[in-house]
Amino acid sequence: MKIGMLTSGGDCQGLNSALRGVAKTLYHELGDKATLYGIRDGYRGLIEGDYHEMQPDDFSDILTVGGTILGTSRQPFKEMQKAAEDSEETKLDKMLETCKKAEFDVLVILGGNGTHKTANLLSEHGVNVVTLPKTIDNDLWGTDLTFGFQSAVDIATTVIDSIHSTAFSHSRVFIVEVMGHKAGWLTLYAGISSGADVIVIPEIPYSAEKIAEAIESRAEHGKRFSIIAVAEGAISREEAEMSKKEFKAQRAAMSYPSVSYRLAAELQAITGQEIRVTIPGHYQRGGAPCPADRLLTTRFGVAAAELVRKKKFGYMVGLQNGGIVPVKLADVAGKLKTVPPDGEIVRTARALGLSMGD
Ligand code: F6P
């Protein structure tokens, strides 16, 4: 069986441990009946026919290694049915050609939302595909957890913990901007885990006045510092009312590098207090996977290899209610899993007296 593997989209912790889980299981169960190929830089390698045969040793000693041994790139889904560079063929045509030429029996694809749309497109065009859910954003539909998320929560939590102590010493107000794209999972989990005082997520549009009230109320109760965890995708109440077009224009005209700096200026104007901003950025995606992600990726890897072995194609492996289950690709593609604004985790934060910025 010829198995092509690729990692696509933004990297995260656990990609290598997931690849290892798939490969080890296939070599263990199929022996020399399995030949694995590494496709370079995600769909770029599939488009350009950039792949190479891998050996069992390639998957040794990578359980704890960050990033991806295969490399990755972002290849927007909306470009897939457009002509490839210097060619009349589309990127999709090129990928189908590579699959045919390489005689891949199946592609094992590790990625997030955009990656899954393309994986589904390939599947609709007759390619056998099995996928694994990767992203620190945890915003993939059909799985309770994506891998990378728990490691990123660990890092974002550690960052906020460190900011906590310096904010306390200097009696300062800090905003820590957390990644997560258009979903607030990472900010919510890290915010609660680090004891942030205000948590601002895209799913709950914020009011600068309400956040200022929360800071001032803390000060009145003798708390001279505050920590505000802000998701990079946070939006104000006014922005929530705008059309997509108006919102885009508003953000394009924004003179701040990110929403956190704008919020800091707003809060500064209301409270008269200096507001500091810290952005850990890609630090949240780097380094070794945490043990929980090592376990999750190993479970996902073994389950994906089982689907390959049983020739059950067109599925993503997902975590649901504690168990690993196959989820139809067509059901996953194009759907975003966002934080339910009145769900249990948000209610937990509110029960503690935390402000959600609304
Ligand atoms: O999807 C993962 C993620 O880290 C998001 O949280 C973030 O918005 C985005 O990728 C950053 O992308 P890039 O690395 O391409 O700048």
Side-chain angles (χ1 to χ4, degrees):
M1 206 173 189
K2 291 185 168 184
I3 302 134
M5 301 175 87
L6 67 87
T7 55
S8 167
D11 73 343
C12 72
Q13 305 89 339
L15 281 163
N16 288 328
S17 51
L19 290 171
R20 169 185 177 270
V22 176
K24 267 185 163 298
T25 311
L26 288 172
Y27 287 133
H28 178 68
E29 292 187 348
L30 297 179
D32 57 12
K33 289 197 193 87
T35 311
L36 271 60
Y37 294 85
I39 300 164
R40 284 232 169 272
D41 305 339
Y43 291 124
R44 198 232 10 112
L46 199 58
I47 294 165
E48 296 175 12
D50 186 1
Y51 58 89
H52 57 282
E53 189 178 327
M54 300 191 74
Q55 302 302 326
D57 265 1
D58 294 327
F59 299 96
S60 289
D61 294 328
I62 60 168
L63 175 65
T64 61
V65 178
T68 161
I69 55 168
L70 298 181
T72 187
S73 65
R74 289 199 187 275
Q75 300 287 330
F77 172 71
K78 56 178 191 282
E79 306 281 316
M80 289 301 176
Q81 279 161 295
K82 291 186 186 162
E85 240 166 79
D86 303 328
S87 166
E88 285 184 359
E89 285 176 306
T90 65
K91 291 184 177 180
L92 173 64
D93 293 333
K94 293 246 176 205
M95 290 194 289
L96 296 175
E97 224 172 82
T98 302
C99 289
K100 206 169 159 195
K101 197 170 150 209
E103 297 177 328
F104 291 141
D105 294 297
V106 55
L107 289 181
V108 175
I109 298 176
L110 288 69
N113 271 303
T115 301
H116 273 80
K117 287 195 231 170
T118 300
N120 187 48
L121 183 69
L122 287 167
S123 172
E124 285 171 347
H125 283 79
V127 179
N128 296 326
V129 177
V130 169
T131 68
L132 288 80
K134 159 247 69 157
T135 167
I136 63 163
D137 304 338
N138 197 34
D139 60 354
L140 207 53
W141 192 90
T143 185
D144 297 342
L145 286 176
T146 55
F147 68 84
F149 173 65
Q150 297 177 94
S151 303
V153 170
D154 279 5
I155 295 176
T157 302
T158 306
V159 170
I160 304 175
D161 285 348
S162 300
I163 293 297
H164 225 118
S165 60
T166 174
F168 173 82
S169 309
H170 289 268
S171 303
R172 279 175 170 154
V173 177
F174 267 91
I175 289 178
V176 181
E177 183 176 294
V178 179
M179 274 189 170
H181 199 44
K182 291 181 181 160
W185 296 106
L186 192 49
T187 309
L188 183 62
Y189 277 52
I192 294 177
S193 306
S194 59
D197 307 299
V198 183
I199 298 177
V200 183
I201 59 174
E203 294 84 347
I204 304 178
Y206 74 83
S207 146
E209 286 75 21
K210 291 284 177 192
I211 298 174
E213 271 173 32
I215 300 170
E216 281 165 351
S217 154
R218 277 177 55 77
E220 279 160 23
H221 288 88
K223 302 278 168 84
R224 300 188 305 152
F225 74 96
S226 287
I227 306 286
I228 310 167
V230 175
E232 63 176 358
I235 57 168
S236 68
R237 279 187 183 169
E238 296 72 35
E239 287 173 326
E241 299 298 318
M242 292 176 183
S243 67
K244 222 174 166 180
K245 201 173 158 194
E246 285 168 337
F247 177 73
K248 270 193 165 175
Q250 146 104 356
R251 283 299 173 96
M254 184 169 88
S255 55
Y256 300 98
S258 76
V259 68
S260 296
Y261 285 96
R262 185 183 71 188
L263 179 59
E266 289 169 334
L267 294 176
Q268 220 153 291
I270 303 171
T271 63
Q273 228 180 316
E274 185 193 17
I275 316 282
R276 294 289 183 99
V277 178
T278 293
I279 304 186
H282 288 78
Y283 181 50
Q284 293 162 98
R285 261 175 32 193
C290 67
D293 266 334
R294 295 180 202 178
L295 180 65
L296 184 63
T297 49
T298 303
R299 292 172 74 196
F300 279 152
V302 170
E306 285 302 310
L307 292 181
V308 168
R309 201 172 58 84
K310 290 180 180 155
K311 298 191 166 63
K312 189 168 174 168
F313 303 129
Y315 287 89
M316 174 188 88
V317 289
L319 179 78
Q320 289 181 11
N321 304 314
I324 308 287
V325 293
V327 189
K328 275 195 183 138
L329 264 185
D331 291 342
V332 177
K335 279 193 221 152
L336 210 60
K337 181 188 72 187
T338 52
V339 176
D342 47 7
E344 191 255 329
I345 312 279
V346 170
R347 282 188 278 115
T348 298
R350 291 197 196 275
L352 291 173
L354 258 81
S355 163
M356 294 298 299
D358 60 338

